[in-house]
Amino acid sequence: MKITFLGAAHEVTGSLTYVETEHSRFLIDCGMEQGKDMFVNQELPVNAGEIDFVLLTHAHIDHSGNLPLLYKNGFKGPVYATTDTCNLANIMLLDSAHIQMFEAEYKNRKQKRAGGAEVLPIYDIDDAQGLLNNMKPCKYAEKIRVSEDVEARFTDVGHLLGSACIEVWLTEAGETKKIVFSGDVGNTNQPILRDPAFVESADYVLIESTYGNRLHSTEPIDSVSLLAEEIQKTLDRGGNLVIPSFAVGRTQELLYFMREIKERGLVKGHDGFKVFLDSPLASQATKIFMNADAKYLDDEAKALLDSGVNILEFDGLELVLSSDDSKELNFNKSPKVIISASGMCNAGRIRHHLKHNLWRRECTILFSGYQAEGTLGRLLVEGISEVKLFGEKIAVNAEIAILPGISGHADKKGLINWLSGFKEKPKQIFVNHGDNEVCDEFAQTVNEELGINAFAPYSGTEYDLLKGEVVKLTEGIAIVKTPIEGFSGHENEFLHKFISACEALLKLAKASIGRPNRDLRHWTADVDRIRRDIEQ
């Protein structure tokens, strides 16, 4: 009965945890890394085809985005998630596959001109659809048996529609241990969604720490009025208010606020101002939110729905579906609001809107969510004066603003409060899904404030849940950050990752004394194949 920490270990994205029992091998989440990679992640210790099933906390790409890749590599088992997570994953993973295919096509046009080798997408639409065909919708609060020695239950954690912490019971040698995976714990008093529910018992807990060293403001924040002020001053200047937004979750909150702004007439002198939702994915997600079971919404949203109010639609809202219509927005001179994905500005249509609006002093770029290290959004928030978009240098003259008060993540206090909901103290708490220093800081906070053993494992660390002890303790292998002559930008980043991976492999090779000759021959053949590929 062992747990191996693989992804989101001292990093904020790419959640991936491997669990094995006497009869089962499974994953909790299988997320894609977003933003800058800080540490080398260890590979799955088994082939993808040997994974029996996956338990998915929620649909955000940093938790679900590599599921189609797992399928492509041989996994054909079920993926258990709540009904709304299944619905959202259906659109998000297909969209992700489309992005992988588009980016590969774009790179191949450049490769062909340069005489380079063909670039293949990480996965394609068929991989995503194959994975989605194996998703198994589950109800909140219903304990299910997923294998001979594993049971699970999904509990609402208030982060995203359908999001859950997952309680898992593992039985081996006649003994049962319970481990709870928090997923992303939601903030309290947020629009649309209920507050996180508590779990009463666990032997072990794996908890995220995105905001584990920070506190949200304790002052009441009127997000509707603050958003109205940003709209007012930007339209008064004759500019566009551009909002990079996560297509699923954050966008629906913004629409919820916009409806109220329109209803109360909070923006003066710009009657009928337009709000363009420029994200087909966000439009699809909004429909899923509207069709969700109202009992999973907060009291205010339910009351509005009961009174016949469409909480996510209003006069002046226009959905932009085609890429041509998206481009046309930048030639529309009327002051307006543009909500577009992606939320961290690393991909998608938002980058085109930034190209056309960042240099304009009358415009505002309004951020409404967490910006991971290494993302364009983070650079803009931190005050960079110039960016490069589509090969062109763009001056940052627009006002850069942040809409406070709508974080979808619990802060340090919220996380501690959620952990305090356990009636008996867990034996051990593992901390992940946070920046490098934050993971360690929050683990120390848990130790000091709750008196519970806690530590933040690096990728590759293994823990025996039956014995309650570390089997393998790893140190973080940092991605090399020194510049490499002749390379820059994205090219340099991937070369760094490749070199770091090779260095990690060399360390493992030197530690392989006593391993069976059969394994050594197999690994040598794999390394020789990679060497020949590079030499060619």
Side-chain angles (χ1 to χ4, degrees):
M1 187 185 293
K2 186 174 68 175
I3 183 171
T4 304
F5 308 94
L6 296 172
H10 287 255
E11 294 182 313
V12 181
T13 64
S15 290
L16 177 63
T17 306
Y18 171 67
V19 182
E20 57 183 316
T21 64
E22 184 179 6
H23 301 290
S24 304
R25 294 172 172 173
F26 64 97
L27 303 179
I28 304 292
D29 291 343
C30 189
M32 183 177 288
E33 290 192 320
Q34 298 172 299
K36 182 184 290 186
D37 293 339
M38 302 302 295
F39 296 98
V40 175
N41 285 339
Q42 301 302 315
E43 298 295 326
L44 272 175
V46 296
N47 294 327
E50 296 178 62
I51 300 296
D52 297 308
F53 57 90
V54 177
L55 302 176
L56 179 61
T57 61
H58 64 287
H60 277 149
I61 291 299
D62 63 324
H63 288 257
S64 70
N66 273 345
L67 283 171
L69 177 61
L70 190 72
Y71 179 89
K72 178 181 179 178
N73 290 339
F75 169 71
K76 297 300 183 285
V79 177
Y80 296 92
T82 66
T83 299
D84 286 320
T85 292
C86 290
N87 291 337
L88 290 173
N90 188 64
I91 60 172
M92 296 179 74
L93 294 181
L94 289 173
D95 180 73
S96 179
H98 174 77
I99 291 172
Q100 311 310 321
M101 296 172 71
F102 175 83
E103 290 185 347
E105 182 182 353
Y106 172 76
K107 291 175 183 176
N108 280 329
R109 288 197 296 269
K110 297 176 69 175
Q111 288 287 88
K112 189 173 183 179
R113 291 192 294 268
E118 181 184 9
V119 175
L120 297 177
I122 298 173
Y123 53 79
D124 60 23
I125 293 292
D126 290 339
D127 298 318
Q129 190 58 64
L131 183 282
L132 290 167
N133 290 340
N134 291 338
M135 294 202 71
K136 305 295 183 185
C138 303
K139 297 178 181 178
Y140 280 130
E142 185 176 281
K143 194 173 183 181
I144 59 172
R145 178 165 293 281
V146 290
S147 72
E148 179 180 348
D149 51 3
V150 180
E151 293 180 289
R153 181 166 63 200
F154 294 82
T155 299
D156 192 356
V157 80
H159 171 68
L160 176 71
L161 186 69
S163 65
C165 70
I166 307 177
E167 302 170 73
V168 181
W169 289 264
L170 310 171
T171 300
E172 187 173 302
E175 189 171 350
T176 297
K177 296 293 182 182
K178 181 182 178 183
I179 180 168
V180 174
F181 299 87
S182 75
D184 286 350
V185 180
N187 200 359
T188 56
N189 301 315
Q190 294 303 293
I192 305 177
L193 300 179
R194 301 184 298 183
D195 287 349
F198 294 101
V199 176
E200 294 187 353
S201 65
D203 296 302
Y204 302 99
V205 177
L206 175 60
I207 189 169
E208 61 111 340
S209 59
T210 309
Y211 284 95
N213 68 341
R214 283 172 280 181
L215 296 174
H216 300 319
S217 173
T218 57
E219 295 295 322
I221 296 176
D222 186 350
S223 297
V224 171
S225 295
L226 291 172
L227 178 56
E229 289 176 12
E230 295 292 345
I231 298 172
Q232 184 76 59
K233 67 180 180 182
T234 304
L235 298 187
D236 285 350
R237 291 194 300 250
N240 296 326
L241 177 66
V242 178
I243 308 178
S245 181
F246 301 98
V248 182
R250 186 52 38 83
T251 291
Q252 288 70 42
E253 291 177 351
L254 289 167
L255 295 178
Y256 189 78
F257 296 153
M258 293 282 185
R259 181 205 60 79
E260 185 173 348
I261 289 170
K262 290 272 191 173
E263 182 183 83
R264 294 168 56 189
L266 296 181
V267 175
K268 312 295 184 182
H270 303 280
D271 293 343
F273 71 88
K274 298 287 189 180
V275 177
F276 293 92
L277 179 54
D278 186 17
S279 168
L281 177 61
S283 297
Q284 291 176 290
T286 300
K287 293 179 181 178
I288 291 174
F289 270 70
M290 289 303 302
N291 292 326
D293 192 329
K295 70 182 180 182
Y296 298 132
L297 306 182
D298 68 10
D299 292 340
E300 182 180 352
K302 282 191 289 187
L304 287 169
L305 287 171
D306 290 343
S307 65
V309 173
N310 188 325
I311 62 174
L312 301 180
E313 290 185 3
F314 47 84
D315 291 339
L317 175 64
E318 295 195 15
L319 306 183
V320 182
L321 300 180
S322 74
S323 58
D324 287 341
D325 288 342
S326 175
K327 294 173 184 175
E328 187 63 30
L329 279 182
N330 293 307
F331 299 98
N332 177 345
K333 301 301 181 182
S334 300
K336 55 194 167 292
V337 176
I338 301 172
I339 304 173
S340 186
S342 68
M344 297 185 192
C345 307
N346 264 20
R349 297 180 179 184
I350 188 62
R351 294 172 72 87
H352 291 277
H353 298 309
L354 292 176
K355 176 183 176 181
H356 288 275
N357 290 276
L358 268 175
W359 59 273
R360 298 174 58 194
R361 297 186 185 278
E362 66 271 25
C363 294
T364 301
I365 313 301
L366 179 64
F367 289 93
S368 62
Y370 181 82
Q371 304 299 308
E373 187 174 350
T375 62
L376 176 56
R378 180 72 163 260
L379 294 174
L380 290 170
V381 166
E382 291 179 344
I384 193 170
S385 61
E386 181 181 270
V387 299
K388 193 171 184 180
L389 291 166
F390 307 104
E392 183 178 343
K393 291 183 179 179
I394 309 293
V396 181
N397 295 325
E399 179 183 354
I400 306 299
I402 299 173
L403 183 66
I406 60 170
S407 173
H409 285 270
D411 63 1
K412 179 171 72 172
K413 182 178 178 181
L415 292 170
I416 290 295
N417 184 55
W418 187 78
L419 286 173
S420 299
F422 290 94
K423 291 185 176 180
E424 294 185 11
K425 292 181 180 180
K427 298 174 183 177
Q428 179 72 53
I429 290 178
F430 311 106
V431 178
N432 75 345
H433 207 284
D435 285 329
N436 185 30
E437 302 83 5
V438 178
C439 284
D440 289 329
E441 286 183 38
F442 185 66
Q444 183 177 349
T445 298
V446 172
N447 276 310
E448 293 174 352
E449 295 193 15
L450 298 181
I452 305 174
N453 291 327
F455 81 102
Y458 284 98
S459 183
T461 292
E462 301 174 2
Y463 190 94
D464 189 314
L465 298 169
L466 203 57
K467 295 180 180 179
E469 61 185 28
V470 174
V471 176
K472 177 182 178 183
L473 185 64
T474 60
E475 295 294 330
I477 302 173
I479 300 291
V480 179
K481 296 180 181 178
T482 52
I484 297 175
E485 186 176 356
F487 292 85
S488 62
H490 217 47
E491 204 173 32
N492 197 23
E493 177 185 345
F494 283 108
L495 183 58
H496 283 322
K497 291 178 68 174
F498 176 65
I499 292 172
S500 296
C502 289
E503 290 173 343
L505 179 61
L506 180 59
K507 287 184 179 180
L508 291 172
K510 291 179 177 179
S512 295
I513 297 173
R515 299 301 292 265
N517 289 335
R518 179 187 61 185
D519 290 345
L520 296 174
R521 285 195 299 271
H522 176 70
W523 296 334
T524 301
D526 286 342
V527 172
D528 284 343
R529 176 180 53 78
I530 294 171
R531 177 179 53 77
R532 288 194 297 271
D533 287 345
I534 295 173
E535 290 173 347
Q536 291 174 359

